[in-house]
Amino acid sequence: MRHLIGIEDFSNEEIDSLIATAEDIIADPKKYSEVCHGKKLATLFYEPSTRTRLSFEAAMMELGGGVLGFSEAQSSSAAKGESVADTAKVISCFADIMVMRHFKEGAPMVASLNSTIPVINAGDGGHNHPTQTLADLLTIKREKGRLDNMVIGLCGDLKFGRTVHSLISAMSRYTGIKFILISPDELKIPSYIKDEVLDKKGIPYEETASLDEAMPKLDVLYMTRVQRERFFNEQDYIRLKDSYILTPEKLVNAKKSLSILHPLPRVNEISVGVDKDPRACYFKQVLNGKYIRMALIKFLLEEAGK
Ligand code: NCD
């Protein structure tokens, strides 16, 4: 049984093929409107979500399938003390594929070990968020026409930002990629990502606290929210939350061809004044997220022989 727990679960060829399917869906959505007829997607969300859950639900509906699920742990049997393993066994009786977001790192992996249907990780604590990465890759591909040979700046909460961890893992597999990791000292990228991904593969990267210095070098700027819910103390959050605020003025030295991405939700880190800049791609990224999730659901159901 194939699952998507981390982006490493898919080969480059599989990712390319998902992107190609998503582009075909964009070109001819009617062709796909019945491919999941009679199939059900379960969404198990133990943490807040707007885009990820609703884009999965919209994706399944646009494939002609049905959806069921819960959007908070309190309304599920987790509130009575049910384990993730048991929940996964139960959901396997009701649905053909499940999507799980959980505050605990590794919870979707536990679900996959106890499930008889494909499990998709929709974000596990501060660890991984592979379907956001698929949305990011589709966006970069559509904006730039390629996924190789570029300088990618990741800015903000690189410590707790799970989207950043999955994106680094994915982009490190393409040639000619350089990362500029822009964060305050306290929110630097975890050392396991440096050791196991960047250094291991010999990927060039710089760490800096200055967005201004990095700006002119960037082909992609990936802004992130400071992840309040992962802080141990509110004081630290308050001190760090406005470390970076992207404004039109800050973009004066940026390349004309820059693409600005953000997984959203944003709080303060991109001023609304940037939204009308043609380089702002974050709302296109949301729509791309729905198309790539359609491609992903179709792929995993086919792999499962459904
Ligand atoms: C991200 C997440 O949940 O990690 N949101 C999303 O799924 N698009 C980013 C965030 O919450 O900051």
Side-chain angles (χ1 to χ4, degrees):
M1 178 66 61
R2 296 287 304 274
H3 307 281
L4 175 58
I5 305 302
I7 198 72
E8 314 71 40
D9 293 339
F10 286 4
S11 66
N12 280 18
E13 292 68 35
E14 285 170 334
I15 290 176
D16 289 350
S17 148
L18 286 175
I19 290 175
T21 305
E23 287 177 327
D24 198 51
I25 294 171
I26 293 166
D28 188 2
K30 273 215 180 77
K31 198 164 108 193
Y32 295 86
S33 65
E34 289 299 322
V35 299
C36 288
H37 182 78
K39 301 285 179 289
K40 283 170 282 173
L41 169 89
T43 53
L44 286 58
F45 276 65
Y46 296 80
E47 263 200 339
S49 171
T50 300
R51 267 150 299 275
T52 306
R53 185 171 63 85
L54 298 185
S55 70
F56 263 113
E57 296 191 357
M60 190 53 161
M61 289 175 188
E62 291 187 28
L63 292 168
V67 294
L68 65 163
F70 55 84
S71 55
E72 49 182 334
Q74 275 320 101
S75 64
S76 78
S77 278
K80 300 180 187 170
E82 186 170 56
S83 67
V84 164
D86 282 1
T87 303
K89 287 181 189 156
V90 169
I91 300 300
S92 298
C93 304
F94 302 146
D96 300 285
I97 183 165
M98 75 173 92
V99 183
M100 177 182 285
R101 169 169 289 185
H102 205 287
F103 47 87
K104 273 201 183 146
E105 287 81 4
M109 161 73 89
V110 170
S112 72
L113 297 171
N114 289 279
S115 163
T116 55
I117 60 174
V119 176
I120 300 171
N121 177 6
D124 61 328
H127 189 213
N128 279 330
H129 194 345
T131 71
Q132 180 62 48
T133 294
L134 292 174
D136 302 340
L137 296 180
L138 176 59
T139 305
I140 296 171
K141 175 77 196 313
R142 294 186 78 197
E143 295 301 315
K144 301 259 173 261
R146 65 182 195 281
L147 286 169
D148 51 10
N149 296 307
M150 61 183 87
V151 178
I152 304 175
L154 298 139
C155 177
D157 188 346
L158 310 187
K159 180 178 180 188
F160 296 118
R162 55 195 175 193
T163 63
V164 168
H165 305 160
S166 295
L167 185 59
I168 290 178
S169 178
M171 289 305 293
S172 304
R173 298 179 351 189
Y174 295 91
T175 50
I177 298 296
K178 177 179 173 177
F179 294 105
I180 304 189
L181 306 172
I182 309 150
S183 74
D185 222 31
E186 295 91 329
L187 298 178
K188 277 172 140 175
I189 201 87
S191 53
Y192 80 89
I193 293 184
K194 284 192 214 166
D195 297 346
E196 288 167 30
V197 182
L198 298 169
D199 292 338
K200 195 169 172 182
K201 294 186 180 171
I203 310 291
Y205 69 93
E206 284 169 33
E207 291 186 288
T208 174
S210 170
L211 176 58
D212 292 337
E213 276 172 30
M215 191 64 88
K217 305 180 204 162
L218 304 179
D219 298 302
V220 171
L221 171 58
Y222 195 92
M223 294 296 294
T224 62
R225 173 179 74 88
V226 176
Q227 306 280 298
R228 181 181 198 162
E229 63 276 35
R230 315 258 179 251
F231 278 72
F232 293 113
N233 106 42
E234 182 76 3
Q235 255 26 65
D236 288 345
Y237 169 71
I238 291 168
R239 186 165 47 81
L240 293 167
K241 71 183 172 69
D242 293 328
S243 298
Y244 301 98
I245 300 178
L246 186 65
T247 57
E249 299 70 51
K250 290 226 156 111
L251 286 165
V252 168
N253 293 324
K255 288 186 185 172
K256 286 232 165 1
S257 60
L258 176 73
S259 301
I260 305 164
L261 277 68
H262 188 310
L264 302 179
R266 74 170 146 193
V267 184
N268 265 338
E269 58 281 354
I270 302 182
S271 81
V272 289
V274 176
D275 295 1
K276 48 185 183 305
D277 189 303
R279 293 169 289 190
C281 299
Y282 29 92
F283 289 108
K284 292 193 234 176
Q285 202 178 343
V286 175
L287 189 57
N288 288 332
K290 182 187 71 176
Y291 293 122
I292 200 80
R293 289 179 175 110
M294 290 173 76
L296 174 66
I297 294 167
K298 177 178 178 293
F299 171 74
L300 284 175
L301 284 175
E302 280 167 5
E303 287 284 299
K306 299 231 181 202

